[in-house]
Amino acid sequence: MQRSAPRLTRILAAAAVPVMLVVAGCSSDSGSGGGDAAGDSGAARGEATASASATPSPKPTPTVEPAKYAKLPTACKAIAAKTSAALVPKAKSPNGTAAASSDLSHRAGCSWNGLEDKGVKGSQYRWLDVSFYRYDSEVSLGSGQARAQENFAKEVGKIQATTGAKTLSTAAAPGIGDEAKLVTYTVNKTDEDFPYASVVARTGNVVVVLSYNGAGYAGAPVPRAKTIVEGATQAAKEAVASVVAANK
């Protein structure tokens, strides 16, 4: 029994060593965990700074050139009364007949027509009409001026495509708005030749389309093409001027 005491002491001492190693190992893991937490905090601060510096600056608001004109003239007053009376003698409605429109600020028109009976010399028929188209500036569509330019070309094309038109000719019409075209042609209707003169003009963001034509009946001579062109040109100048006057 005296010999067993020292042996028991050695066994207990040896058994205690692994326990100390386990405790030390746990202490080391705890220290390592603390280091990772500090690293994560620094990384988070770095990411936040990078995110803040990468925030895009606000994009500028798109703009478009303002439309030049905000109004259209009263179509039946756009051509002077003395001019319409001279071009269309004996008009059914001397003050003109307004075209139907759901929005007179963007589209308007007026027409005059009449038959002048000259007895044994026959009768002279005349027709005059004018239309106005105004275009607003819109970011998605472009400026009013650019839109008017595009539709100016379209209106000229429509007239050039007139069914049955003969001897059709297109020329510039200087001195009428910012740009203008004169389209002349002849159409045979009711067994008579009708000489036509159409003027398409643009002033700013407004397109003006004017047409003047006529015919001779019961032996009356066909109107001279020059007379029709001169009448259409005069009326077109007055119509364009009325757009400017309506916006003063």
Side-chain angles (χ1 to χ4, degrees), residues 25-212:
C26 290
S27 175
S28 174
D29 289 344
S30 176
S32 174
D36 288 346
D40 291 344
S41 177
R45 286 195 299 272
E47 290 175 0
T49 301
S51 177
S53 63
T55 301
S57 57
K59 294 182 179 179
T61 303
T63 59
V64 65
E65 179 187 7
K68 185 174 183 179
Y69 299 119
K71 300 177 182 179
L72 286 180
T74 301
C76 290
K77 295 182 179 180
I79 296 171
K82 65 178 182 180
T83 300
S84 61
L87 297 181
V88 187
K90 304 298 181 180
K92 293 179 181 179
S93 300
N95 294 325
T97 301
S101 175
S102 59
D103 185 357
L104 290 173
S105 68
H106 288 90
R107 181 171 182 162
C110 190
S111 63
W112 297 258
N113 71 88
L115 183 68
E116 183 181 21
D117 186 355
K118 293 191 174 184
V120 295
K121 293 183 179 181
S123 301
Q124 287 289 339
Y125 176 80
R126 297 291 186 273
W127 174 285
L128 171 68
D129 67 71
V130 62
S131 299
F132 298 87
Y133 305 93
R134 188 180 68 83
Y135 301 91
D136 288 321
S137 293
E138 299 182 28
V139 172
S140 60
L141 299 176
S143 71
Q145 285 71 241
R147 295 177 65 197
Q149 285 178 316
E150 180 181 351
N151 285 279
F152 167 85
K154 289 181 179 178
E155 293 296 335
V156 172
K158 288 179 184 178
I159 297 170
Q160 292 172 330
T162 299
T163 301
K166 299 182 296 182
T167 62
L168 189 146
S169 176
T170 304
I176 306 177
D178 295 324
E179 58 181 328
K181 293 283 187 180
L182 170 66
V183 184
T184 59
Y185 55 96
T186 301
V187 174
N188 187 274
K189 299 185 294 183
T190 63
D191 294 327
E192 302 292 345
D193 284 334
F194 283 67
Y196 275 74
S198 295
V199 177
V200 181
R202 180 186 66 83
T203 176
N205 58 311
V206 175
V207 174
V208 179
V209 181
L210 184 137
S211 180
Y212 183 46

